[in-house]
């Protein structure tokens, strides 16, 4: 496992610290998060600070002005569940580890502090805030070696922990497969929230028939099921309905999200998420 962690570390750092700076993941949005006022745009202002709603109403550009610029506190949450122990191309757990590495090193590259939290029914492990690249390797290695079978991420307990444990407004990135419906409304009101959903295409579009003895990786229960096209169609529809409810919840509370499949390059999806 240490060898795999080293290989992933090398791959991650090559993407973020290579010569092609323009291809790197953007810095996290949120610098200067203490809002002060609006003023008209001046030549040289950062276009990312344009307030488009006010600009549209006033018919001339306005920008957001903040009280201070400061380093960000970035919290990456690795949501532990038995369901991430699966993959037809790569295991979801490995892809989530790569996402963790890319996010963490992107933040450190931007001179921000990174906290890494592994959570199931409670805190499995917490890596304290750091700006050191060396310190991130331990979290990356743990993400690949931690036992996930039989575990379930309790999102209500996670939200409660983050609300009580993070006092300053922070960037919070949740990484998991999100097969349960969460309520992130209060968390999104307090912090700047991003969600990376890691899935395998076979999970969403299964194509096999017959009688199977299936093991639930979360509960460790065996179920013998006779699977036909009717069962598969109902399952696919259930997944689509669940994901649509997720999208609506994220949109309502202005939570940025992306879905990353195990046959995709997480780097590309994260670049889109953080634009």
């Amino acid at each position: 496992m240490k060898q795999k962690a080293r290989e992933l570390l090398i791959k991650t750092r090559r993407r973020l610290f290579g010569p092609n700076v323009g291809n790197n993941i953007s810095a996290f949005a949120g610098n200067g998060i203490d809002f002060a006022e609006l003023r008209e745009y001046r030549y040289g202002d950062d276009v990312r600070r344009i307030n488009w709603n006010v600009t549209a109403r006033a018919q001339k550009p306005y920008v957001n002005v903040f009280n201070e610029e400061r380093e960000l506190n970035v919290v990456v949450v690795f949501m532990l569940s038995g369901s991430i122990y699966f993959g037809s191309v790569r295991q979801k757990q490995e892809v989530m580890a790569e996402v963790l590495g890319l996010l963490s090193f992107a933040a450190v590259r931007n001179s921000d502090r990174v906290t890494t939290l592994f959570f199931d029914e409670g805190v499995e492990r917490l890596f304290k805030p750091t700006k050191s690249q060396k310190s991130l390797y331990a979290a990356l290695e743990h993400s690949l070696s931690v036992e996930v079978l039989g575990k379930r991420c309790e999102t209500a307990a996670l939200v409660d922990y983050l609300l009580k444990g993070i006092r300053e407004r922070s960037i919070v990135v949740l990484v998991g497969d999100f097969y349960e419906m969460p309520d992130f409304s209060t968390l999104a009101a307090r912090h700047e929230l991003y969600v990376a959903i890691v899935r395998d295409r076979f999970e969403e579009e299964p194509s096999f028939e017959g009688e199977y003895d299936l093991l639930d990786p979360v509960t460790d229960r065996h179920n013998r099921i006779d699977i036909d096209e009717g069962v598969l169609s109902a399952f696919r529809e259930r997944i689509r309905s669940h994901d649509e409810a997720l999208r609506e919840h994220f949109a309502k509370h202005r939570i940025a999200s992306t879905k990353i499949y195990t046959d995709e390059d997480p780097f590309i999806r994260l670049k889109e998420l953080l634009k």
Side-chain angles (χ1 to χ4, degrees), residues 24-255:
N24 291 329
I25 292 178
S26 305
F28 287 93
N31 283 327
I33 51 181
D34 289 336
F35 177 77
E37 62 179 350
L38 287 165
R39 66 164 168 78
E40 287 190 46
Y41 176 86
R42 299 171 187 164
Y43 179 77
D45 284 340
D46 188 341
V47 294
R48 292 176 297 180
R49 294 187 178 180
I50 293 177
N51 188 312
W52 294 107
N53 290 331
V54 175
T55 296
R57 290 196 298 268
Q59 294 298 300
K60 55 184 176 182
Y62 276 79
V63 295
N64 295 320
V65 179
F66 300 92
N67 286 322
E68 63 173 315
E69 295 293 334
R70 67 184 184 209
E71 66 182 17
L72 297 173
N73 183 44
V74 179
V75 181
V76 183
V77 182
F78 197 99
M79 300 171 67
L80 298 171
S81 171
S83 57
I84 68 174
Y85 190 79
F86 179 82
S88 59
V89 180
R90 286 201 292 164
Q91 277 202 350
K92 289 188 286 182
Q93 183 173 356
E94 182 181 338
V95 176
M96 287 171 59
E98 185 171 348
V99 170
L100 170 65
L102 287 166
L103 292 170
S104 299
F105 282 99
V108 168
R109 183 178 182 274
N110 197 46
S111 298
D112 295 320
R113 301 188 311 275
V114 181
T115 302
T116 309
L117 173 65
F118 292 84
F119 201 94
D120 43 40
E121 296 179 0
V123 177
E124 192 277 335
R125 188 164 178 183
L126 175 67
F127 290 84
K128 295 182 179 180
T130 182
K131 297 173 72 174
S132 167
Q133 293 181 36
K134 292 181 179 179
S135 299
L136 298 180
Y137 175 77
L140 183 59
E141 185 176 19
H142 185 71
S143 69
L144 290 166
S145 62
V146 61
E147 180 60 54
V148 298
L149 288 175
K151 293 186 176 180
R152 180 185 212 141
C153 185
E154 296 288 349
T155 55
L158 172 61
V159 169
D160 185 62
Y161 176 82
L162 292 172
L163 288 174
K164 292 177 179 177
I166 308 175
R167 296 182 180 180
E168 62 180 290
R169 182 170 171 83
S170 302
I171 304 290
V172 178
V173 189
L174 306 174
V175 187
D177 57 9
F178 291 88
Y179 277 122
E180 294 190 19
M181 190 64 202
D183 181 359
F184 293 145
S185 55
T186 53
L187 189 61
R190 181 83 60 84
H191 302 288
E192 189 171 341
L193 195 58
Y194 295 84
V195 168
I197 304 170
V198 177
R199 296 276 183 85
D200 189 277
R201 295 186 192 277
F202 187 79
E203 293 176 304
E204 298 183 1
E205 295 290 338
S207 56
F208 61 101
E209 296 186 14
E211 188 173 342
Y212 292 88
D213 182 16
L214 301 179
L215 173 66
D216 188 325
V218 176
T219 64
D220 288 330
R221 294 176 185 170
H222 285 265
N223 294 288
R224 183 165 287 278
I225 302 177
D226 188 8
I227 299 174
D228 57 23
E229 184 54 38
V231 172
L232 294 177
S233 295
F235 177 80
R236 295 182 195 118
E237 181 55 36
R238 185 173 179 179
I239 292 292
R240 280 192 287 269
S241 297
H242 170 79
D243 285 359
E244 181 58 34
L246 271 180
R247 282 190 289 271
E248 291 176 358
H249 179 67
F250 295 157
K252 180 179 179 180
H253 299 287
R254 298 182 179 181
I255 300 169

